[in-house]
Amino acid sequence: REAHKELDLTYEVAATTEVGRFLASKRASSRTVSLVPELSAPSAFVMGWEQLHCKVDDKDALAVHGVDATALARHFAHVMCAQIFELGFFNADPHPGNVALRFDESTGTARLLLLDWGWTHRLTTAELRGWRDLALALYDSDVERASKALAALGYKTNQDGRDAARNVHFMAFILRDASDQETARRETKERMTAIRDRMKADKAAGVREKGGRKIQGLPDSFMFVIRCIGMIRGTCAHLGVSLPLVDIMATYARRGD
């Protein structure tokens, strides 16, 4: 339902403009590319010249220019979470190649430039409310509220009836704070060990479902939101940066409410 939009560049022009205005209204230092509206059509559009220096995860270039990697990653996380949890409309493909950096040698500053708005996703009012509730519940460690938010979003497994909290624990892991590569690997290993231990306990208690835990409901919005959060985490891991990502998500969820 989203891919066809990449074949009509008027969608990209509209998305670039909408998010650009949103960022400007927040006085964010990052921005989208400048466009020439009168030279836009379904098959082509014209944008202003942009001097790009490197991708957001280019550690060598960041070091040469003295860019604080933690501050940069934090800004990237804030920009993406503002789009997702406050605006409810966001770039669905924020890989490093679509997040460039411009250096101003005269002022010694750097600015993020958000590129390629052909693939975006807009949350419905109900979805946005659900994601905000989930972010705030995870921040507060409120399992009951998080479970209700997941159910409202349409996420469902065959184990909900006997232990709905498992959905919350899974999502809390997926949307956990960002960390460096070593910490991320350790967390993943610990998570897999916990899952195997839980499976053994279920089997011993005679409550394990045939075929194990299965997802029965997975709304489209999950694929987009989780993909974007994963790209934030991936950038942080590559840069060796740890961030309170849950806190950042909750910040924009509150602003949206």
Side-chain angles (χ1 to χ4, degrees):
R1 288 203 295 270
E2 301 288 345
H4 74 281
K5 295 178 181 177
E6 294 215 52
L7 302 178
D8 183 346
L9 296 180
T10 58
Y11 284 105
E12 181 164 355
V13 169
T16 303
T17 301
E18 180 176 349
V19 177
R21 288 174 178 167
F22 171 73
L23 294 175
S25 73
K26 301 299 176 182
R27 297 183 179 179
S29 62
S30 58
R31 65 177 181 84
T32 58
V33 297
S34 57
L35 301 171
V36 183
E38 60 272 23
L39 296 178
S40 299
S43 59
F45 67 85
V46 176
M47 57 183 251
W49 169 255
E50 303 288 355
Q51 181 65 50
L52 308 180
H53 291 94
C54 70
K55 298 188 294 185
V56 70
D57 67 343
D58 189 333
K59 291 191 286 188
D60 291 339
L62 298 181
V64 168
H65 289 275
V67 177
D68 184 330
T70 299
L72 175 63
R74 183 186 302 114
H75 185 64
F76 175 44
H78 275 273
V79 168
M80 287 307 304
C81 287
Q83 292 173 53
I84 298 169
F85 295 97
E86 184 175 356
L87 180 61
F89 179 62
F90 53 95
N91 190 319
D93 196 26
H95 61 76
N98 284 341
V99 186
L101 207 59
R102 294 184 58 179
F103 300 117
D104 186 335
E105 302 292 353
S106 63
T107 61
T109 59
R111 171 180 287 190
L112 284 180
L113 193 63
L114 310 179
L115 310 171
D116 193 355
W117 289 84
W119 191 15
T120 58
H121 187 71
R122 188 182 301 278
L123 299 172
T124 66
T125 300
E127 288 172 337
L128 183 54
R129 185 182 305 113
W131 281 106
R132 287 171 178 169
D133 281 346
L134 179 60
L136 293 171
L138 293 178
Y139 176 78
D140 292 331
S141 298
D142 187 334
V143 175
E144 182 178 357
R145 182 179 181 184
S147 181
K148 289 180 179 178
L150 285 169
L153 284 166
Y155 183 79
K156 183 180 180 181
T157 76
N158 61 337
Q159 294 183 345
D160 293 356
R162 68 180 178 88
D163 192 355
R166 290 188 178 183
N167 288 346
V168 178
H169 298 152
F170 170 72
M171 202 56 59
F173 175 76
I174 296 297
L175 301 178
R176 69 193 186 279
D177 288 339
S179 59
D180 58 79
Q181 290 180 337
E182 183 178 348
T183 301
R185 282 201 225 44
R186 187 188 72 246
E187 291 172 341
T188 299
K189 186 178 293 185
E190 291 172 350
R191 174 67 181 174
M192 296 307 297
T193 298
I195 290 175
R196 286 192 291 270
D197 290 344
R198 188 185 66 200
M199 290 169 60
K200 291 178 182 177
D202 283 353
K203 187 174 182 180
V207 296
R208 179 171 167 75
E209 293 81 3
K210 184 177 181 180
R213 187 170 185 267
K214 295 180 180 179
I215 295 177
Q216 297 177 325
L218 186 64
D220 289 346
S221 67
F222 271 69
M223 308 308 295
F224 291 101
V225 174
I226 290 174
R227 172 184 170 80
C228 289
I229 297 301
M231 287 188 174
I232 296 172
R233 290 180 46 76
T235 297
C236 288
H238 181 74
L239 293 176
V241 168
S242 295
L243 288 180
L245 192 52
V246 178
D247 189 359
I248 295 172
M249 290 187 290
T251 295
Y252 292 98
R254 290 191 199 93
R255 289 187 182 183
D257 283 347

